[in-house]
């Protein structure tokens, strides 16, 4: 006997469960018709932007342009130094010292005034100083060439005189010293031979010390 549940009416077949579910399943996965929706699937007319050659495809993605580099100032680029370092180096440059002057100019403009002042501070009031190129006034040096000399003299208990010799016309070169009291000097001494660098102050101090050792200054 046939099942009456399989027929709504005579001659009509009830739809299967697959037919009943098909419309709802298709509707659930169908795109919305309210607004167009783009997809990432390539079509026949539009190639994939990532895979396409930028030269052939105007829609292809282009690499970002590199940001321009900042140029260094011309002066710093020429020297290879940073502007701050170049300015610091310029500040470190020192002005030439008095010892760098030409020999004669240094003696006349700087050494003689400083020497006279230093000896006057030791109680000598009538010091006479000269600077000239002449023969060495010592026995045995008559045939030697002339050299620059500083001659100082004053009267105390008689005539006191000293000579400072510069045979190389250079304060850093060889120097000699002699002294006498009213007669011709007999000995030529080396002067400041152990000093590595001669300065104005050292030349003044050295000669004042030598005259003090002779007991010609102060209360001597």
């Amino acid at each position: 006997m046939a099942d009456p549940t399989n027929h709504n009416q005579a001659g009509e077949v009830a739809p299967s469960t697959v037919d009943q579910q098909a419309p709802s399943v298709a509707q659930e996965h169908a795109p919305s018709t309210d607004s167009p929706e783009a997809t990432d699937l390539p079509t026949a007319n539009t190639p994939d932007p990532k895979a396409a050659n930028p030269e052939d495809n105007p829609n292809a993605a282009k690499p970002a342009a590199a940001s321009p580099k900042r140029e260094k100032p011309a002066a710093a680029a020429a020297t290879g130094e940073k502007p701050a370092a170049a300015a610091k180096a310029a500040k470190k440059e020192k002005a030439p010292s008095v010892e760098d002057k030409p020999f004669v100019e240094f003696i006349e403009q700087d050494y003689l005034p400083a020497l006279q002042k230093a000896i006057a501070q030791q109680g000598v009031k009538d010091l006479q100083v000269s600077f000239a190129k002449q023969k060495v006034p010592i026995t045995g040096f008559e045939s030697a060439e002339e050299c620059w000399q500083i001659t100082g003299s004053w009267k105390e208990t008689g005539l006191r005189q000293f000579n400072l010799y510069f045979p190389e016309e250079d304060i850093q070169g060889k120097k000699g010293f002699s002294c006498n009291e009213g007669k011709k000097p007999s000995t030529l001494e080396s002067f400041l031979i152990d000093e590595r660098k001669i300065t104005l102050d050292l030349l003044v101090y050295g000669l004042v010390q030598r005259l003090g050792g002779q007991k010609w200054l102060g209360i001597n």
Side-chain angles (χ1 to χ4, degrees):
M1 183 175 178
D3 187 354
T5 59
N6 293 332
H7 300 275
N8 294 331
Q9 294 178 359
E12 294 184 2
V13 180
S16 67
T17 57
V18 174
D19 294 334
Q20 294 175 349
Q21 295 176 359
S24 62
V25 172
Q27 184 177 4
E28 179 182 349
H29 293 277
S32 173
T33 59
D34 295 339
S35 59
E37 181 176 344
T39 67
D40 58 356
L41 296 178
T43 66
N45 295 327
T46 305
D48 185 357
K50 297 181 180 178
N53 187 342
E55 296 180 357
D56 300 331
N57 179 20
N59 297 325
K62 296 181 180 179
S67 59
K69 295 182 179 179
R70 298 179 65 182
E71 297 182 357
K72 295 181 179 180
T79 60
E81 297 181 352
K82 295 182 179 180
K88 187 175 182 180
K91 289 181 179 180
K92 287 186 177 181
E93 294 181 2
K94 296 181 179 179
S97 62
V98 294
E99 292 83 3
D100 294 329
K101 289 182 179 181
F103 172 73
V104 174
E105 184 177 327
F106 167 77
I107 296 295
E108 292 178 342
Q109 296 181 0
D110 300 284
Y111 185 56
L112 291 183
L115 181 63
Q116 288 177 299
K117 181 179 179 180
I119 293 178
Q121 290 175 343
Q122 298 296 320
V124 177
K125 301 186 181 302
D126 59 343
L127 175 66
Q128 301 295 319
V129 180
S130 63
F131 176 58
K133 194 172 187 179
Q134 57 192 11
K135 287 283 189 179
V136 177
I138 298 177
T139 302
F141 288 87
E142 291 84 1
S143 60
E145 295 182 357
E146 293 183 345
C147 72
W148 285 101
Q149 304 173 39
I150 294 174
T151 303
S153 61
W154 69 95
K155 294 180 180 180
E156 189 69 31
T157 57
L159 180 65
R160 292 178 172 177
Q161 179 176 310
F162 68 85
N163 289 62
L164 186 59
Y165 307 92
F166 296 90
E168 298 180 359
E169 299 185 17
D170 183 359
I171 63 172
Q172 307 297 338
K174 293 180 180 179
K175 295 172 284 296
F177 173 84
S178 67
C179 61
N180 66 87
E181 290 187 79
K183 58 183 180 180
K184 194 174 182 178
S186 58
T187 304
L188 178 62
E189 307 173 11
S190 295
F191 182 72
L192 294 179
I193 60 174
D194 297 327
E195 304 298 332
R196 297 181 61 182
K197 182 176 178 60
I198 300 299
T199 63
L200 172 62
D201 291 341
L202 184 58
L203 270 177
V204 173
Y205 175 78
L207 186 53
V208 171
Q209 286 292 102
R210 181 62 186 85
L211 296 176
Q214 197 69 25
K215 301 187 182 302
W216 280 8
L217 300 177
I219 60 175
N220 297 322

